[in-house]
Amino acid sequence: MPRLTVNGKQIEVPAGTNLIEAARHAGVEVPHYCYHPSLSIAGQCRLCMVDIEKAPRPTIACNTVAADGMVVLTETDRVRETRKSIMEFHLINHPLDCPVCDQAGECWLQIYYMQHGLYDPRMTDEKVHKPKAVPLGPHVILDAERCILCSRCVRFCDEITGTGELGIFERGDHSEIGLFPGTELDNKYSGNVVDICPVGALTDRDFRFQVRVWYLETAKSVCAGCARGCNIEVHVNRRRPHHAEGRRVARLKPRVNADVNQWWICDAGRYGFGFVDDNDRLLAPTRREGGTSSDATWDEAIGAVAAALRRLSPDEVGVIASPRMANEDLFALRRLLDICAVRRVGAQVPPRVPGDEDHILIRADKNPNSLGAELMGLGGDARPVLDAARARQLKCLWIFGHDLMASRWPEAEVLEALRAVETIVFTGTNANRTSERAHWVLPAAAWVERDGTYTNFEGRVQRFRQAVEPLGQALAEWEMLDRVLAALGEAPSATRAEHWFRRLATVVPAFAGLSYQALGDTGRLVAGSVAARAPR
Amino acid sequence: MSEGDGYPGLTDPATTVFSEAQLAEVRRLQSLYPDPRGALLPVLYMAQETFGWISLPLEEYVATLFGLSPAHVHEVVTFYTLYFREPPGRHVVSVCHNLSCHLAGAPGIIAHLRQRLGVDPGETSEDGRVTLLSVECLCACEAAPMMQVDDRYELNLTPTKVDRILEGLA
């Protein structure tokens, strides 16, 4: 392990560490554009110059490996002057169109100019013009004039997705990034090139012009799009609602978790939040009688569900839980089912189209909490519940989230089951063809509107946090289950999701010792998980 | 980019392939470098000699020989000036516009060529006879102004000499 000093501070770093990372160990940030910890070294931007004692001139930190006895200085006059000159080079042909650039506010040209540039422009010649607002694919749009040719996006497509769509074409100040003519940037991870683009060259077609980034608020969360549970940040716009026509969730961004998703998320997860602010959101409890539906109060709805559970024998009640529910919801449900002795329960409903999977992040199981449901004893096949309904054995069927009509189960059999049950209760975020047939509809908060945890396929329990208020009267599932339990005479136990997690951790052995605090920002493995036994 | 005007077969990817002997040469070239990719430039020259210019389908074909994405072959082809991305004329006239030639009268030579051929540098005369290029130093400063006509240097140019040279080009 080489020992070196950075700006007078002595540190020891693992062999092979480059000077940008070594400086980070010492709490020193070396400005850079092209370096990215998960991509190969390009040495392209020249901004990360540092002085090394006895070296004749400044050296790029990204491509210099820390060595024993090295004395690194990142703030000498010479380094500062070099940085300033390099900034001037980067900005020679830059259009300086910040007022209309979507990157403004999170642009490293702006940030570094303010920190290290601050020169007066000396360019008197006409700038080189290049293509602007060129859609590269379904999600990414290119402004070649703003590009500083750091090649991060090119290396991402070469080294992470292995798809190689992008290249740097032409030469000198005419160089520009682009696609092989006639092709598209449409790989399953294309949105990540926007994240790693340090400037406004690559922006997000979905997010662009929705809201200025400085109006965004963020919450740490977990993607609910598949069993991987990629760590994300939810960026919401509450301060300028008129900017995005009522769209509250502005975008999802990956959050680094070395054990789960590194720096990345897939496009399906990144752009899969549209349902949160969709017009088909369920906003209030609804009662349907004789073909007409009317709004009800939560008290009426909870009362009706509790009455059915009280009145019916356990075998007349079926529950189709969902591996999309949080651990807290599932445990509250487990508690309710135990009290009522309901045994007809399952959670797995086969999707009509099998999920895609790859060797990067995407999992075929599109549910964020299948393992959690399994550990709670609720992860079983829901088919027996459907069959019981078809056999007219059920008087009440409570469906959480699933659109059974859109499953792989034959539609005729689903319809037969739904018609055969006296009271169908549907709990979910959005209307669907199953909720349309329910007698009671209980609106649920979307995952970005509440707290909770999911257990990913490896057994990692990860927190997601509330980013926006629930729409309308929607409640988290654990909250409505809590109310049903109270109506059945249970002492109210929870005012926060965390309370249910605490109970869960004392009852379900796999969760023993876990708490919200212990989970932190990057999660913890459940006891006995495959990943816990053989860490990657 | 206009593809294949007057160049039969070149727009059809199926015909844009090397012979067995050429493929053997590709393999030989690739074996000369620690990373076979090093042979990309000579293989592209082979392709250009065989097919006259480097079309997009040809870039894709060469990419398959190296296991590269077509975008990376496109990077190389667009970086270098000696790969033709459009069909050139039957003859290529490259006039030096660098310092020595400039001082010795290259601007006049270029103006004369433009007028005689009716094209700007970078363009091909309408009859497909000559592609005119204006290029950097060709290392014949002692005989400035000069130009290269196909594989031949033409030195100490005057407008009269240029006319005579042009007349000799079929």
Side-chain angles (χ1 to χ4, degrees), chain A residues 154 158 163-172 178-181, chain B residues 56-57 59-60 69-72 74-76 78-81 85:
Chain A
V154 178
D158 285 349
T163 45
E165 294 96 331
L166 292 169
I168 295 178
F169 307 136
E170 308 298 334
R171 190 177 40 172
L179 296 156
F180 187 74
Chain B
L56 292 174
E59 288 180 18
E60 288 184 90
S69 86
H72 291 317
H74 196 58
E75 285 182 322
V76 172
T78 58
F79 184 90
Y80 293 101
T81 49
R85 290 145 72 188

mmCIF file of all heavy atoms in Angstrom, chain A residues 154 158 163-172 178-181, chain B residues 56-57 59-60 69-72 74-76 78-81 85:
data_model
loop_
_atom_site.group_PDB
_atom_site.id
_atom_site.type_symbol
_atom_site.label_atom_id
_atom_site.label_comp_id
_atom_site.label_asym_id
_atom_site.label_seq_id
_atom_site.Cartn_x
_atom_site.Cartn_y
_atom_site.Cartn_z
ATOM 1 N N VAL A 154 -19.067 7.704 -24.995
ATOM 2 C CA VAL A 154 -18.533 6.724 -25.937
ATOM 3 C C VAL A 154 -18.027 5.511 -25.161
ATOM 4 O O VAL A 154 -18.315 4.357 -25.490
ATOM 5 C CB VAL A 154 -17.391 7.338 -26.770
ATOM 6 C CG1 VAL A 154 -16.800 6.306 -27.715
ATOM 7 C CG2 VAL A 154 -17.885 8.556 -27.542
ATOM 8 N N ASP A 158 -19.179 1.516 -24.985
ATOM 9 C CA ASP A 158 -18.198 0.474 -25.304
ATOM 10 C C ASP A 158 -18.007 -0.494 -24.147
ATOM 11 O O ASP A 158 -17.935 -1.701 -24.327
ATOM 12 C CB ASP A 158 -16.821 1.106 -25.609
ATOM 13 C CG ASP A 158 -16.792 1.766 -26.978
ATOM 14 O OD1 ASP A 158 -17.735 1.554 -27.746
ATOM 15 O OD2 ASP A 158 -15.833 2.502 -27.250
ATOM 16 N N THR A 163 -22.344 -1.943 -26.496
ATOM 17 C CA THR A 163 -23.123 -1.751 -27.709
ATOM 18 C C THR A 163 -22.433 -0.847 -28.734
ATOM 19 O O THR A 163 -22.774 -0.893 -29.909
ATOM 20 C CB THR A 163 -24.508 -1.166 -27.370
ATOM 21 O OG1 THR A 163 -24.341 -0.108 -26.418
ATOM 22 C CG2 THR A 163 -25.404 -2.227 -26.745
ATOM 23 N N GLY A 164 -21.490 -0.030 -28.276
ATOM 24 C CA GLY A 164 -20.634 0.733 -29.192
ATOM 25 C C GLY A 164 -21.321 1.658 -30.179
ATOM 26 O O GLY A 164 -20.810 1.860 -31.276
ATOM 27 N N GLU A 165 -22.443 2.255 -29.804
ATOM 28 C CA GLU A 165 -23.156 3.097 -30.775
ATOM 29 C C GLU A 165 -22.437 4.400 -31.078
ATOM 30 O O GLU A 165 -22.530 4.934 -32.174
ATOM 31 C CB GLU A 165 -24.556 3.468 -30.264
ATOM 32 C CG GLU A 165 -25.518 2.324 -30.120
ATOM 33 C CD GLU A 165 -25.558 1.803 -28.710
ATOM 34 O OE1 GLU A 165 -24.532 1.912 -27.998
ATOM 35 O OE2 GLU A 165 -26.598 1.272 -28.303
ATOM 36 N N LEU A 166 -21.759 4.957 -30.069
ATOM 37 C CA LEU A 166 -21.262 6.320 -30.210
ATOM 38 C C LEU A 166 -19.796 6.358 -30.602
ATOM 39 O O LEU A 166 -19.035 5.427 -30.323
ATOM 40 C CB LEU A 166 -21.447 7.078 -28.889
ATOM 41 C CG LEU A 166 -22.897 7.355 -28.489
ATOM 42 C CD1 LEU A 166 -22.949 7.850 -27.058
ATOM 43 C CD2 LEU A 166 -23.535 8.367 -29.412
ATOM 44 N N GLY A 167 -19.408 7.431 -31.261
ATOM 45 C CA GLY A 167 -18.011 7.630 -31.619
ATOM 46 C C GLY A 167 -17.721 9.114 -31.695
ATOM 47 O O GLY A 167 -18.638 9.943 -31.635
ATOM 48 N N ILE A 168 -16.422 9.451 -31.796
ATOM 49 C CA ILE A 168 -16.035 10.843 -32.034
ATOM 50 C C ILE A 168 -15.566 10.928 -33.478
ATOM 51 O O ILE A 168 -14.590 10.286 -33.857
ATOM 52 C CB ILE A 168 -14.927 11.288 -31.068
ATOM 53 C CG1 ILE A 168 -15.482 11.283 -29.647
ATOM 54 C CG2 ILE A 168 -14.423 12.683 -31.447
ATOM 55 C CD1 ILE A 168 -14.467 11.649 -28.585
ATOM 56 N N PHE A 169 -16.284 11.689 -34.270
ATOM 57 C CA PHE A 169 -16.030 11.754 -35.699
ATOM 58 C C PHE A 169 -15.362 13.071 -36.075
ATOM 59 O O PHE A 169 -15.431 14.042 -35.333
ATOM 60 C CB PHE A 169 -17.346 11.587 -36.478
ATOM 61 C CG PHE A 169 -18.105 10.350 -36.077
ATOM 62 C CD1 PHE A 169 -19.472 10.382 -35.878
ATOM 63 C CD2 PHE A 169 -17.437 9.143 -35.877
ATOM 64 C CE1 PHE A 169 -20.162 9.239 -35.493
ATOM 65 C CE2 PHE A 169 -18.113 7.998 -35.505
ATOM 66 C CZ PHE A 169 -19.481 8.051 -35.310
ATOM 67 N N GLU A 170 -14.737 13.062 -37.258
ATOM 68 C CA GLU A 170 -14.000 14.222 -37.768
ATOM 69 C C GLU A 170 -12.797 14.514 -36.862
ATOM 70 O O GLU A 170 -12.409 13.661 -36.064
ATOM 71 C CB GLU A 170 -14.913 15.447 -37.919
ATOM 72 C CG GLU A 170 -16.182 15.189 -38.731
ATOM 73 C CD GLU A 170 -15.953 14.777 -40.182
ATOM 74 O OE1 GLU A 170 -14.903 15.130 -40.739
ATOM 75 O OE2 GLU A 170 -16.826 14.091 -40.750
ATOM 76 N N ARG A 171 -12.234 15.708 -36.959
ATOM 77 C CA ARG A 171 -10.921 15.931 -36.374
ATOM 78 C C ARG A 171 -10.778 17.366 -35.889
ATOM 79 O O ARG A 171 -11.450 18.277 -36.381
ATOM 80 C CB ARG A 171 -9.859 15.648 -37.442
ATOM 81 C CG ARG A 171 -8.461 15.602 -36.935
ATOM 82 C CD ARG A 171 -7.526 15.251 -38.039
ATOM 83 N NE ARG A 171 -7.935 15.938 -39.263
ATOM 84 C CZ ARG A 171 -7.239 15.955 -40.379
ATOM 85 N NH1 ARG A 171 -6.110 15.313 -40.459
ATOM 86 N NH2 ARG A 171 -7.667 16.602 -41.442
ATOM 87 N N GLY A 172 -9.888 17.550 -34.926
ATOM 88 C CA GLY A 172 -9.581 18.894 -34.437
ATOM 89 C C GLY A 172 -10.815 19.586 -33.888
ATOM 90 O O GLY A 172 -11.636 18.955 -33.227
ATOM 91 N N GLY A 178 -21.148 11.358 -32.133
ATOM 92 C CA GLY A 178 -22.299 11.025 -32.959
ATOM 93 C C GLY A 178 -22.450 9.534 -33.092
ATOM 94 O O GLY A 178 -21.698 8.748 -32.501
ATOM 95 N N LEU A 179 -23.463 9.163 -33.872
ATOM 96 C CA LEU A 179 -23.789 7.763 -34.119
ATOM 97 C C LEU A 179 -23.315 7.378 -35.505
ATOM 98 O O LEU A 179 -23.234 8.232 -36.392
ATOM 99 C CB LEU A 179 -25.308 7.580 -34.075
ATOM 100 C CG LEU A 179 -25.983 7.854 -32.750
ATOM 101 C CD1 LEU A 179 -27.446 8.200 -32.985
ATOM 102 C CD2 LEU A 179 -25.875 6.630 -31.857
ATOM 103 N N PHE A 180 -23.032 6.103 -35.717
ATOM 104 C CA PHE A 180 -22.808 5.638 -37.071
ATOM 105 C C PHE A 180 -24.060 5.992 -37.867
ATOM 106 O O PHE A 180 -25.175 5.721 -37.415
ATOM 107 C CB PHE A 180 -22.572 4.123 -37.085
ATOM 108 C CG PHE A 180 -22.177 3.605 -38.433
ATOM 109 C CD1 PHE A 180 -20.915 3.838 -38.930
ATOM 110 C CD2 PHE A 180 -23.083 2.889 -39.215
ATOM 111 C CE1 PHE A 180 -20.547 3.370 -40.177
ATOM 112 C CE2 PHE A 180 -22.729 2.421 -40.469
ATOM 113 C CZ PHE A 180 -21.452 2.663 -40.957
ATOM 114 N N PRO A 181 -23.909 6.637 -39.041
ATOM 115 C CA PRO A 181 -25.082 7.129 -39.768
ATOM 116 C C PRO A 181 -26.152 6.047 -39.924
ATOM 117 O O PRO A 181 -25.844 4.907 -40.276
ATOM 118 C CB PRO A 181 -24.503 7.535 -41.122
ATOM 119 C CG PRO A 181 -23.077 7.906 -40.825
ATOM 120 C CD PRO A 181 -22.645 6.980 -39.726
ATOM 121 N N LEU B 56 -20.307 3.677 -46.431
ATOM 122 C CA LEU B 56 -20.751 3.248 -45.096
ATOM 123 C C LEU B 56 -20.886 1.732 -45.002
ATOM 124 O O LEU B 56 -20.447 1.135 -44.018
ATOM 125 C CB LEU B 56 -22.072 3.944 -44.733
ATOM 126 C CG LEU B 56 -21.973 5.460 -44.495
ATOM 127 C CD1 LEU B 56 -23.356 6.060 -44.284
ATOM 128 C CD2 LEU B 56 -21.088 5.753 -43.291
ATOM 129 N N PRO B 57 -21.482 1.068 -46.028
ATOM 130 C CA PRO B 57 -21.541 -0.400 -45.936
ATOM 131 C C PRO B 57 -20.148 -1.019 -45.854
ATOM 132 O O PRO B 57 -19.950 -2.020 -45.165
ATOM 133 C CB PRO B 57 -22.240 -0.808 -47.244
ATOM 134 C CG PRO B 57 -23.011 0.394 -47.653
ATOM 135 C CD PRO B 57 -22.215 1.576 -47.193
ATOM 136 N N GLU B 59 -17.537 0.390 -44.427
ATOM 137 C CA GLU B 59 -17.106 0.583 -43.034
ATOM 138 C C GLU B 59 -17.679 -0.516 -42.149
ATOM 139 O O GLU B 59 -16.993 -1.083 -41.298
ATOM 140 C CB GLU B 59 -17.565 1.950 -42.500
ATOM 141 C CG GLU B 59 -16.814 3.126 -43.095
ATOM 142 C CD GLU B 59 -17.298 4.464 -42.538
ATOM 143 O OE1 GLU B 59 -17.956 4.483 -41.478
ATOM 144 O OE2 GLU B 59 -17.013 5.491 -43.172
ATOM 145 N N GLU B 60 -18.953 -0.822 -42.380
ATOM 146 C CA GLU B 60 -19.582 -1.872 -41.573
ATOM 147 C C GLU B 60 -18.910 -3.215 -41.814
ATOM 148 O O GLU B 60 -18.706 -4.005 -40.891
ATOM 149 C CB GLU B 60 -21.077 -1.969 -41.889
ATOM 150 C CG GLU B 60 -21.869 -0.805 -41.343
ATOM 151 C CD GLU B 60 -23.357 -0.964 -41.592
ATOM 152 O OE1 GLU B 60 -24.036 -1.545 -40.734
ATOM 153 O OE2 GLU B 60 -23.829 -0.519 -42.664
ATOM 154 N N SER B 69 -17.270 -1.956 -33.457
ATOM 155 C CA SER B 69 -18.561 -1.399 -33.845
ATOM 156 C C SER B 69 -18.323 -0.475 -35.041
ATOM 157 O O SER B 69 -17.262 0.141 -35.153
ATOM 158 C CB SER B 69 -19.196 -0.644 -32.688
ATOM 159 O OG SER B 69 -18.746 0.675 -32.658
ATOM 160 N N PRO B 70 -19.295 -0.403 -35.962
ATOM 161 C CA PRO B 70 -19.128 0.465 -37.135
ATOM 162 C C PRO B 70 -18.795 1.899 -36.747
ATOM 163 O O PRO B 70 -18.049 2.575 -37.466
ATOM 164 C CB PRO B 70 -20.498 0.396 -37.825
ATOM 165 C CG PRO B 70 -21.103 -0.882 -37.357
ATOM 166 C CD PRO B 70 -20.573 -1.122 -35.972
ATOM 167 N N ALA B 71 -19.282 2.349 -35.585
ATOM 168 C CA ALA B 71 -18.999 3.727 -35.166
ATOM 169 C C ALA B 71 -17.495 3.942 -35.016
ATOM 170 O O ALA B 71 -16.982 5.020 -35.337
ATOM 171 C CB ALA B 71 -19.716 4.034 -33.846
ATOM 172 N N HIS B 72 -16.781 2.939 -34.550
ATOM 173 C CA HIS B 72 -15.345 3.117 -34.334
ATOM 174 C C HIS B 72 -14.566 3.122 -35.651
ATOM 175 O O HIS B 72 -13.550 3.796 -35.760
ATOM 176 C CB HIS B 72 -14.825 2.077 -33.357
ATOM 177 C CG HIS B 72 -15.362 2.327 -31.974
ATOM 178 N ND1 HIS B 72 -15.423 3.591 -31.439
ATOM 179 C CD2 HIS B 72 -15.902 1.510 -31.061
ATOM 180 C CE1 HIS B 72 -15.953 3.538 -30.239
ATOM 181 N NE2 HIS B 72 -16.273 2.288 -29.977
ATOM 182 N N HIS B 74 -15.917 4.290 -38.339
ATOM 183 C CA HIS B 74 -16.306 5.608 -38.846
ATOM 184 C C HIS B 74 -15.428 6.703 -38.232
ATOM 185 O O HIS B 74 -15.065 7.672 -38.896
ATOM 186 C CB HIS B 74 -17.775 5.854 -38.545
ATOM 187 C CG HIS B 74 -18.376 6.986 -39.330
ATOM 188 N ND1 HIS B 74 -18.397 7.022 -40.710
ATOM 189 C CD2 HIS B 74 -18.993 8.132 -38.926
ATOM 190 C CE1 HIS B 74 -18.989 8.140 -41.116
ATOM 191 N NE2 HIS B 74 -19.344 8.828 -40.061
ATOM 192 N N GLU B 75 -15.087 6.545 -36.959
ATOM 193 C CA GLU B 75 -14.190 7.505 -36.299
ATOM 194 C C GLU B 75 -12.877 7.623 -37.067
ATOM 195 O O GLU B 75 -12.393 8.710 -37.334
ATOM 196 C CB GLU B 75 -13.857 7.034 -34.871
ATOM 197 C CG GLU B 75 -14.980 7.220 -33.863
ATOM 198 C CD GLU B 75 -14.552 6.786 -32.460
ATOM 199 O OE1 GLU B 75 -13.823 5.770 -32.346
ATOM 200 O OE2 GLU B 75 -14.946 7.444 -31.494
ATOM 201 N N VAL B 76 -12.315 6.466 -37.416
ATOM 202 C CA VAL B 76 -11.010 6.447 -38.086
ATOM 203 C C VAL B 76 -11.128 7.026 -39.491
ATOM 204 O O VAL B 76 -10.312 7.854 -39.911
ATOM 205 C CB VAL B 76 -10.469 5.000 -38.122
ATOM 206 C CG1 VAL B 76 -9.207 4.922 -38.986
ATOM 207 C CG2 VAL B 76 -10.190 4.512 -36.707
ATOM 208 N N THR B 78 -13.267 9.121 -40.652
ATOM 209 C CA THR B 78 -13.542 10.563 -40.688
ATOM 210 C C THR B 78 -12.363 11.371 -40.157
ATOM 211 O O THR B 78 -12.270 12.566 -40.397
ATOM 212 C CB THR B 78 -14.804 10.932 -39.877
ATOM 213 O OG1 THR B 78 -14.623 10.506 -38.520
ATOM 214 C CG2 THR B 78 -16.041 10.276 -40.464
ATOM 215 N N PHE B 79 -11.469 10.717 -39.398
ATOM 216 C CA PHE B 79 -10.316 11.438 -38.847
ATOM 217 C C PHE B 79 -9.287 11.719 -39.933
ATOM 218 O O PHE B 79 -8.718 12.805 -40.003
ATOM 219 C CB PHE B 79 -9.679 10.606 -37.730
ATOM 220 C CG PHE B 79 -8.541 11.306 -37.033
ATOM 221 C CD1 PHE B 79 -8.769 12.097 -35.915
ATOM 222 C CD2 PHE B 79 -7.239 11.176 -37.493
ATOM 223 C CE1 PHE B 79 -7.731 12.748 -35.277
ATOM 224 C CE2 PHE B 79 -6.185 11.827 -36.854
ATOM 225 C CZ PHE B 79 -6.440 12.614 -35.739
ATOM 226 N N TYR B 80 -9.034 10.729 -40.800
ATOM 227 C CA TYR B 80 -7.970 10.861 -41.795
ATOM 228 C C TYR B 80 -8.515 11.402 -43.109
ATOM 229 O O TYR B 80 -9.623 11.062 -43.514
ATOM 230 C CB TYR B 80 -7.290 9.508 -42.015
ATOM 231 C CG TYR B 80 -6.537 9.059 -40.791
ATOM 232 C CD1 TYR B 80 -7.073 8.114 -39.926
ATOM 233 C CD2 TYR B 80 -5.311 9.609 -40.484
ATOM 234 C CE1 TYR B 80 -6.381 7.711 -38.795
ATOM 235 C CE2 TYR B 80 -4.611 9.220 -39.358
ATOM 236 C CZ TYR B 80 -5.153 8.270 -38.516
ATOM 237 O OH TYR B 80 -4.475 7.892 -37.401
ATOM 238 N N THR B 81 -7.687 12.219 -43.779
ATOM 239 C CA THR B 81 -8.174 12.858 -44.997
ATOM 240 C C THR B 81 -7.965 11.997 -46.232
ATOM 241 O O THR B 81 -8.514 12.275 -47.278
ATOM 242 C CB THR B 81 -7.450 14.194 -45.223
ATOM 243 O OG1 THR B 81 -6.052 13.963 -45.095
ATOM 244 C CG2 THR B 81 -7.898 15.225 -44.219
ATOM 245 N N ARG B 85 -14.633 9.467 -48.683
ATOM 246 C CA ARG B 85 -15.952 9.098 -48.191
ATOM 247 C C ARG B 85 -17.010 9.294 -49.269
ATOM 248 O O ARG B 85 -18.188 9.079 -49.048
ATOM 249 C CB ARG B 85 -16.282 9.912 -46.947
ATOM 250 C CG ARG B 85 -15.399 9.475 -45.766
ATOM 251 C CD ARG B 85 -15.046 10.632 -44.901
ATOM 252 N NE ARG B 85 -16.200 11.074 -44.151
ATOM 253 C CZ ARG B 85 -16.230 12.160 -43.415
ATOM 254 N NH1 ARG B 85 -15.156 12.924 -43.330
ATOM 255 N NH2 ARG B 85 -17.319 12.501 -42.773
#
